[in-house]
Every structure is written in C-alpha cells, then in structure tokens.
Amino acid sequence: MPDISAGLIAGAATDAPPQIAQGVTVQFRDAKGTKQMRVLVIIGLALLAHFIWWFADSDHIGYAPLYWLLTISLGYKLLRMLHEWYHYVQVKEPVLPVVPATAPLRKVDMLTTACPGEPHEMIIRTLEALVAVRYPHTTYLCDEGNDPDLRAVCERLGVVHVTRVEKKNAKAGNINNALQQATGEFCVVLDPDHEVTPDFLDQVMPYFEDETVGYVQVVQAYGNQKDSLVALGAAEQTYHFYGPLMMGMNGYNTVQAIGANCTFRRKALDGIGGHAAGLTEDMHTAMRLHAAGWKSIYAPVVVSHGLVPSTLGAFYMQQLKWARGTFDLLAHVYPKLFKNFTWRQRLHYFTLPLYFLSGLIALIDIVVPIASLLLLDFPWHLSLPEFAVHMLPVTMIGLLIRYNAQQWLREPHEPGLHLAGGFLRIATWWVYSLGLIYTFLNIKVPYIPTPKEGEVKNEWLLSSLNLLLALVSIGVAVLSMQVPGIRGPYTKLMATLALVNAAILLTTVIMAQHALLNRLRRFLWSTRPLFALKKWVDNTLATGGGVITSRLRTGSIAFAAGLAILHTLATAGIVLVQWREQTAISDDYIWTHTGFGPLRVGASGHGLKVPVAAAPAGGAATVVWGRAPKAASQVVGLELPPGTALQAPVEAIEEINQRGNIPLLTWTVDEASAGSATFRRQVLRLAKHENQVLLRPIIHAASPAAYRAAWQQLVTGYRASGDTSLVWVWTPPRPDSIAAYFPGAANVTWVAGHCRSTAEAASCYAPFRQQVAGQIEMQSKPILLLLSQPPSTGSAEWARQFGTRYPEVKAVVFGPSPGRPAQAPARPTTR
C-alpha cells in the first residue's frame, strides 16, 4: 500500500487527472428560494456596509486593548455571517442522471469500522442495514480488535471480516488496509453508528456516470437528539452545515467529504494514495481529491441516521480532535496544495478551519465585560442609541436570512432557534482554544473514536471552568452596580453583557448534568397541569409553526426592504439632529466660554470613580448628579492624581454632560504629562463631540516667567492640534502676585480663586478681586470660586447671594479644593 502520509504530490504523480466525461455530466439547478435569498443578501450587504462605514471611526476607540479585542470579536462574527451568505446565494441541487435500465451495474464495496470498546449491538445493526442495501455490493467490516464475536456475526451475515496487525494511521489506515483486499470500482465508507436505508446506493451511484466525479457525499443525519440536551445541541450544530452550507458547496465544487456516508471512485482514491491520514482524515482526503482535479457532489438526501455524542465528555473529545486536526491541515497541508486549488477552493479550505476560532472569540466575549468593569475602562466610546440604530438592522437582516436558509434543512424536525447548539458551542470555547494551542505547540492528540453511548451521569468536573467564569461574571457585575458614582450607561451595558454571558454559561453547565435533568424531567411531567401545558405548547407549535414559517418567508423581501427604509430614515434623522446640535449654540456652551448666564453651583467629585487609574482627590463624599433645585447646571470637580499615567476620564465627563452638568477637570502638568499625546487626543475628542468641560491645569514653575511660558506652550500645543474652543481655567499660583503670573488674556477663559469657607469668603475674595480688577486683561474674565468647605443644604442659597454681591463670580464649587498649586507662603485664608 502506498504511504498516504507522503501527500498528494507523491500519490498524484502515479495517476493521470480525471478525464472529461464523454457523455454524462451532472447538472445542477438552483434550489427553490435561491433567487429570493439573493435579494435578501443584497439588502443585507448594503446594511452591513453602512454599519462598517459608521463603526470604523477612530473617535469610537475607548480603552485600546479592550477596543481591539471586541472589534476582533465583532469582525469575526460579521465574517462568519458573510461566509454563510456566500454559500446561500449559490445553493444548488444536483440533478440525478437517468441511467438506462440496460446499463451494467457497478461493482461497489461498502465498508464500516469497528474498534475495541464500541457496542456490539450498534455495530451489528449497522452491518444488518448494510447487507439490506438493494444495490448489489460487498460489505466489509474493518475490525481493529479482531473480535471473535464480530467475526461470527460477519460469517452469519455474509460480511467480509478484515483486520490488521500493524495498526497505524488510525481510521484511515484501517480503511486503506481493507481497500487492499476490496476490488470494487467504488467504495462507501460508513461509521459503525450509521444505519443506512436500502436505497442508499440507488440515490448515489447514478452521479458516477459523470467520469469526472470523484466522490458523492449524502446528508449525515442523526437519530438520538432526544438522548440528552448535549445530544440535542450537538445535532443542532450540524443541521445548518448539512443543509444550505453543503448545498452551497455544490456551486463551487468544494463539497466536503465526511467520515461517514461518502462514496468514492476507487480510481480517484487510489490516485492520491488512498485515504489521507490525520485527526480529520475526511477533510484531508477531500483536499487531495480537489487538488487532483476531481469533482465532488453533495446529494441532499437522508439515507442514513447515526449517533451524535450524548455526553459532554464525548462531545469535547470529538471537538478537540476536529479542532486540532483542521488547524493542522491549515498549517501544514493547505500551503502544499494551494497551487492546485481553484481560487474558490483556496478560499474554502482557508475559511473552513477558522470555525474553530469561535472558541477564542467566545473567550473574548466573556472576558472583556469582566475586565472592563474591573478596570472601569470601556472599549467603545459611542452613542448607544446610535449603535443600536446601526447594529440592530444588521442583526435583524442576518437573522431573517438565516431563518430563510432553514427552508433547505433536510428533515422536518430541524428548523428552530437551535439555542442548545449555540450554547454548547460557547461552552466548548476552551476545547477549541486548546486545539489552537496544541497546533502552535505541535502537541499530538491521539485518534480515539468518539464514544457512541453515554452513561447517564452528571458532568460537574468538565463544567467547572464554565461554572467558575459564570460566577466571576455575576460577582463583577453585581459589584459594579454597588459602587456609588460609576453606574453610568456604559457600566450598565457591560454589567448586562456579563450577566448574559453568565446565564449562557450556567445553562451549559446544567445541560451537562444528565442525571439531575432526568430527575427534574420526571418530577415536572409527573405533575398533571405541567404535562398538559407541555402538550398544549407542543401542539400549538406543531399546528401554527407551518403557517408562521410560510408567512415569514413569503414576506421576507418586503420586511427586509422596510427594514432598510426605516434604517435609512433613522440614520437621516440622527444626521439631522447632529447637524442641528452643531449649528445651534447651547446655553452651556455660552456659559463655559463667556460666563454669561446664571451662576452655577457644584461640588468636587470626591468618590467618583473614573475609568483611569486616577480618582478625584479628597474624601469619600458622593457626587450629587442631579441638578440643584431652581438652579442651572452644577459644576462637578474632577482631579487626576499626580504620579500616574495621564488619561482623561472620558466616560465620567460624558456622563456628567449627559446629566446636564459641567465637569471641572484638574490635573498637574509636569514634563512627562505636558506632551501626552493620548491625553491630548482624548481632550480634543471630547471637544469635538460637543462635550462641555472646564480645563484647569496646575503648573509648577521656578519663576513667573517660566510659569507663563509653560502655560502658553500648553495652550498653544492644544490649539495646534486642531481645536481653538477649549475652555481654560487659570488658577494664580500666588494670590499675592496675580499680575506676575498671568499668561495673557488670549490663553485664559476663566480665573479661579481659593477660599476656605463661606464664613471667610468675603474677606478672602476681596483682595483677590482687587488684584484682578487692577488688570485690564482680566476684567472681562468670569470668576470661578473654589471653597474648601463641603456643600450643605444652604450652599446653593449662599452662592446665589454671593453671586449677587459679586456679579463677576459665575461659578462656586464646594468641597476640598482640588489641585492645590505650589506657591510661596501666603495668607492663611488662601491656598
């Protein structure tokens, strides 16, 4: 037997490529509903393109590491959706050629395998079904264990029993060993858990009248979905693949050979050295046959039923084998065969293994909300209503298209939401990720047949990692909602995502507790009202499902068109509102830039947690977010502590603005922070998004001249970056030398003064006012008064009276005054 591990090149060199058929050529026709699907996909592509155009804006970038992780996740999901649409628009059914009655029958071998430990009853049922196939054939059992009981069964049924001494290359080697003895022109490979129908070969053999057809694959259906929720989920994951996706592969000659229910032309198989070895020997074999130029056919007929894994352990074992095997093919086999593929086959065999990257994506989706809530840094800075306006239409059209694709599912029970399958895929994140890691580290995974029967027991240990992640997600979400001052819209969004992830993970944990579920099921259905309710729901779904399905599919184009129109109108409305906001000057804008309007009262934001390593200075008083009674917007003081990485609290500032208040941002300027490009971009983005903020830098300098130069350089740097509308609040470093430190009227919007308390405010402010009034450049500047005294019930009234006495005072901020500037000894009443 040739060494099948040598690759296609060694095998194909001994045989000529397939010849053009001299007569029969398999024809394909569009499946019913394909034209309608193409219209839906065109609408979907338009909505998707608009979403990507809107989303790809650098202004949306929040905390960069989390932003790029979630963007990768979103991009992967959109690419998967496009991959499905790519198949939907070319769903085709092969036309079964008519074979003349006088045509000679082909010689066919039907092979199945047996490994030690597999249930004898299952293998015997499969052999009996093979023997009952009407088309003349020879049945082989490739018995790895040389089991005497199975030999006796084979003798009784007339099955050829084959075994081997040198056991290498697992299933592929077992099949190839039997093919050395088989003499048929065609061979069928079946798993020992698949029972075929008597007309199996009648549905397959006519396609081989086309001499270019190398193999024909039929549907791989299952009959044990009800054994457990894991079995249901495992089966649901296959419905879509064996329906529209495989039918779409007919249009591109990329039909995937599956390890069961596949019929091969021996000439094609022998030409590539037999079945290819590996954990995913079926995909490896298909790659070689396609690279050799053979045609593949997918016949969407159900002529066999098999078993899916019914326990989590069996499912994980199967998925690890597939993930490791497909990643290995992508890394080592795909590059060697690349030049022999058509461009569509190149795309197909590159994208197919990427399905198993869903494990890494699921991990990102789980971890990002947790990390965001712990760090108080958020990945995206965008309007949540705008995001909904742009994302919801894409999501809805995606669901509508996928729902319409369910018309190509192969059995009546297959349509539905397939929640069990989706949850099970998320629960398998660590298995898929392990397959990727094993590929990078070149760690081998043994080829072990997937267990065919599961013991009814609970699988807590295999569920422990998902249970732990669920508990962490819940704990972090609950904790984030208990901390005062951070319960903004982004925090609530991330907490909601964490709780949704936790609910999914907990559901998957429960799905694997088979004994517990069986007891619960017996208890529930033993209750007569609950059992009656279950029957009513089942009957309602059975009778009404068809009507609903028919209406949704016939009206899908109208619904999609209406969705696109509504999305266009909503987008136009958002653009109009934004344009009006940009052209209208708000009262807050006028006040921050001129001080014109009523006096604003506020407090330092002590205890306010912002999404940076910084937090406001002072004690633990909580910010009062609401507007003061009968007053204009409050001013909320925020301070970035020195000695940490300079980063603007963008989320806090946006939330303060959303609540109708105005933040006063104080930070200390040193050599490291003066030129911080990240901080500058964040501040400029806040201004670009119409956020009102008072900027109050604190500068330490050795002399008045050095101070003025540093301030002017800071302001000039921001203006050179593209914004001239920033509001600068200047705090004199020495209240007894205001004129010496003043950096010029062009570089200052407000002037701020410090006093200890309301009792001392008048005596403290009088000399400060006198110095300001003595400088003509400062006379037109509004005054912001900072009081060290925390706010009280009478603070607003006191501020109003003080503002009446001193009309140039346009803002009073209570609380421990942030940003105490360095200064020479001064009077005890000022800081």
Side-chain angles (χ1 to χ4, degrees):
M1 185 182 73
D3 183 5
I4 63 175
S5 64
L8 170 66
I9 298 175
T14 63
D15 198 9
Q19 302 296 316
I20 301 299
Q22 300 297 318
V24 176
T25 301
V26 175
Q27 302 295 320
F28 295 90
R29 63 187 174 206
D30 286 345
K32 182 181 179 181
T34 304
K35 293 181 180 179
Q36 180 186 31
M37 178 60 75
R38 290 169 185 164
V39 175
L40 292 176
V41 168
I42 290 173
I43 297 174
L45 288 173
L47 292 172
L48 181 59
H50 187 261
F51 170 78
I52 294 173
W53 174 83
W54 170 81
F55 183 77
D57 186 339
S58 60
D59 286 347
H60 294 157
I61 300 176
Y63 183 55
L66 298 183
Y67 170 84
W68 288 113
L69 283 175
L70 268 191
T71 300
I72 289 171
S73 173
L74 178 63
Y76 176 83
K77 294 180 178 71
L78 295 180
L79 286 175
R80 274 196 63 190
M81 186 164 64
L82 288 173
H83 181 261
E84 292 181 354
W85 294 359
Y86 169 78
H87 288 83
Y88 294 163
V89 297
Q90 199 70 13
V91 170
K92 291 186 178 296
E93 297 173 324
V95 180
L96 191 69
V98 177
V99 181
T102 57
L105 296 174
R106 307 296 189 103
K107 189 174 182 180
V108 182
D109 300 314
M110 302 188 76
L111 300 88
T112 190
T113 61
C115 291
E118 292 182 317
H120 281 191
E121 296 79 3
M122 177 189 72
I123 298 172
I124 293 171
R125 289 196 303 269
T126 297
L127 292 174
E128 290 173 344
L130 286 172
V131 171
V133 171
R134 291 192 296 262
Y135 196 101
H137 66 282
T138 302
T139 302
Y140 288 79
L141 176 64
C142 310
D143 183 6
E144 286 283 68
N146 195 19
D147 190 297
D149 292 334
L150 291 178
R151 282 204 312 271
V153 171
C154 290
E155 184 176 352
R156 174 174 63 84
L157 295 176
V159 174
V160 179
H161 182 272
V162 182
T163 190
R164 58 176 178 160
V165 176
E166 185 182 3
K167 295 179 173 59
K168 65 176 183 177
N169 293 332
K171 178 181 177 180
N174 194 13
I175 294 294
N176 287 328
N177 176 68
L179 289 178
Q180 288 183 307
Q181 305 176 44
T183 59
E185 186 183 356
F186 300 91
C187 65
V188 180
V189 178
L190 289 156
D191 280 348
D193 60 311
H194 281 261
E195 300 178 36
V196 298
T197 59
D199 64 337
F200 183 97
L201 290 176
D202 298 322
Q203 298 289 343
V204 170
M205 293 309 299
Y207 295 113
F208 288 105
E209 295 300 311
D210 183 340
E211 295 297 326
T212 65
V213 173
Y215 64 89
V216 177
Q217 177 67 51
V218 297
V219 177
Q220 188 156 307
Y222 301 98
N224 68 323
Q225 295 94 323
K226 295 184 178 180
D227 285 359
S228 68
L229 287 178
V230 171
L232 176 62
E236 286 182 351
Q237 290 185 8
T238 69
Y239 295 161
H240 204 66
F241 181 79
Y242 291 112
L245 292 186
M246 284 282 273
M247 293 174 71
M249 295 176 198
N250 270 330
Y252 316 117
N253 192 32
T254 56
V255 170
Q256 179 65 46
I258 308 301
N261 305 322
C262 195
T263 305
F264 295 93
R265 187 186 297 273
R266 281 297 300 271
K267 180 181 178 181
L269 204 55
D270 294 343
I272 63 167
H275 272 275
L279 293 173
T280 48
E281 82 293 332
D282 46 7
M283 182 177 173
H284 193 178
T285 302
M287 293 175 73
R288 291 185 172 188
L289 289 171
H290 281 140
W294 289 98
K295 185 188 296 182
S296 55
I297 303 291
Y298 179 62
V301 291
V302 179
V303 288
S304 169
H305 281 91
L307 302 176
V308 286
S310 57
T311 65
L312 198 61
F315 181 76
Y316 280 171
M317 184 186 302
Q318 178 196 70
Q319 298 300 306
L320 178 61
K321 182 173 63 177
W322 289 357
R324 176 66 176 90
T326 54
F327 284 137
D328 189 69
L329 291 178
L330 180 61
H332 300 107
V333 176
Y334 178 77
K336 298 177 182 178
L337 303 180
F338 182 84
K339 65 180 180 180
N340 301 102
F341 291 140
T342 66
W343 73 267
R344 281 182 162 175
Q345 289 169 346
R346 291 171 184 172
L347 179 64
H348 173 78
Y349 284 115
F350 176 76
T351 57
L352 204 60
L354 300 185
Y355 167 83
F356 295 101
L357 285 179
S358 61
L360 185 60
I361 299 303
L363 178 60
I364 290 174
D365 292 340
I366 295 169
V367 168
V368 165
I370 296 174
S372 181
L373 292 172
L374 289 177
L375 298 173
L376 288 177
D377 271 314
F378 302 96
W380 293 332
H381 290 160
L382 42 78
S383 165
L384 297 182
E386 272 193 70
F387 180 77
V389 166
H390 289 84
M391 189 62 193
L392 278 179
V394 175
T395 303
M396 293 178 70
I397 194 69
L399 292 174
L400 181 63
I401 290 174
R402 207 169 199 277
Y403 178 79
N404 270 264
Q406 291 193 3
Q407 65 187 297
W408 297 310
L409 300 184
R410 305 324 303 163
E411 294 196 282
H413 66 268
E414 292 184 357
L417 296 177
H418 300 162
L419 293 179
F423 289 171
L424 190 59
R425 183 176 63 251
I426 294 173
T428 316
W429 67 267
W430 65 273
V431 177
Y432 294 153
S433 301
L434 202 61
L436 181 62
I437 294 171
Y438 281 1
T439 302
F440 281 123
L441 300 179
N442 198 28
I443 298 175
K444 303 299 181 183
V445 173
Y447 188 104
I448 301 175
T450 304
K452 302 303 189 297
E453 290 185 352
E455 182 181 352
V456 180
K457 63 179 182 180
N458 296 324
E459 297 180 280
W460 290 108
L461 184 60
L462 284 174
S463 305
S464 57
L465 188 55
N466 287 325
L467 179 60
L468 176 62
L469 275 180
L471 295 178
V472 170
S473 297
I474 294 173
V476 171
V478 171
L479 178 63
S480 70
M481 302 311 293
Q482 298 301 316
V483 180
I486 67 170
R487 295 190 292 269
Y490 289 100
T491 303
K492 293 175 181 177
L493 173 63
M494 286 297 151
T496 300
L497 292 177
L499 292 175
V500 169
N501 289 336
I504 293 174
L505 292 172
L506 289 176
T507 301
T508 64
V509 170
I510 297 299
M511 287 173 60
Q513 314 317 315
H514 313 294
L516 176 65
L517 287 173
N518 283 343
R519 288 196 296 271
L520 179 62
R521 189 180 295 113
R522 286 194 297 268
F523 169 75
L524 290 176
W525 302 151
S526 64
T527 306
R528 186 170 297 179
L530 290 177
F531 183 73
L533 178 62
K534 176 182 180 297
K535 289 186 64 177
W536 178 82
V537 171
D538 291 341
N539 291 335
T540 302
L541 292 176
T543 56
V547 176
I548 297 173
T549 299
S550 175
R551 295 290 175 84
L552 281 175
R553 285 178 183 157
T554 55
S556 58
I557 292 181
F559 180 80
L563 184 65
I565 293 171
L566 286 175
H567 172 64
T568 302
L569 293 175
T571 303
I574 290 175
V575 171
L576 179 61
V577 169
Q578 291 176 340
W579 176 79
R580 291 189 62 183
E581 288 179 349
Q582 291 172 357
T583 56
I585 300 179
S586 67
D587 291 340
D588 286 347
Y589 181 91
I590 294 173
W591 181 84
T592 54
H593 287 78
T594 66
F596 180 80
L599 178 138
R600 313 282 176 114
V601 182
S604 294
H606 306 147
L608 174 66
K609 299 223 174 166
V610 295
V612 290
T622 303
V623 176
V624 180
W625 288 108
R627 293 176 183 268
K630 298 182 180 179
S633 303
Q634 292 191 53
V635 178
V636 180
L638 301 175
E639 182 180 6
L640 305 181
T644 60
L646 192 61
Q647 188 175 359
V650 175
E651 303 295 338
I653 290 173
E654 289 179 339
E655 184 178 353
I656 291 170
N657 275 180
Q658 288 173 6
R659 295 177 180 271
N661 299 318
I662 297 176
L664 170 66
L665 181 61
T666 300
W667 76 98
T668 301
V669 179
D670 53 30
E671 292 183 0
S673 65
S676 174
T678 301
F679 182 75
R680 182 178 298 175
R681 283 196 302 269
Q682 292 169 337
V683 172
L684 291 173
R685 188 171 70 228
L686 285 166
K688 179 181 177 182
H689 290 176
E690 304 298 327
N691 288 284
Q692 307 304 322
V693 57
L694 304 174
L695 301 176
R696 183 172 171 263
I698 302 299
I699 297 177
H700 303 287
S703 66
Y707 178 90
R708 293 196 304 271
W711 181 282
Q712 291 165 359
Q713 182 180 2
L714 176 69
V715 175
T716 302
Y718 276 83
R719 288 174 178 168
S721 299
D723 193 284
T724 60
S725 63
L726 295 176
V727 177
W728 298 98
V729 178
W730 176 63
T731 306
R734 289 179 54 120
D736 57 349
S737 304
I738 292 178
Y741 285 90
F742 187 62
N747 302 311
V748 171
T749 314
W750 287 69
V751 177
H754 286 284
C755 291
R756 288 180 180 241
S757 65
T758 56
E760 300 177 356
S763 59
C764 165
Y765 180 68
F768 177 86
R769 185 190 193 208
Q770 185 176 1
Q771 289 191 64
V772 170
Q775 304 296 320
I776 191 169
E777 287 186 305
M778 287 186 272
Q779 289 179 2
S780 61
K781 303 298 178 184
I783 304 297
L784 185 149
L785 183 63
L786 296 163
L787 293 174
S788 299
Q789 175 181 316
S792 62
T793 54
S795 295
E797 178 60 23
W798 179 91
R800 187 187 64 79
Q801 294 177 0
F802 193 85
T804 302
R805 182 177 179 182
Y806 302 106
E808 71 276 7
V809 176
K810 295 298 182 180
V812 177
V813 178
F814 290 88
S817 299
R820 180 172 185 168
Q823 58 186 23
R827 294 171 301 176
T829 54
T830 59
R831 296 196 300 171

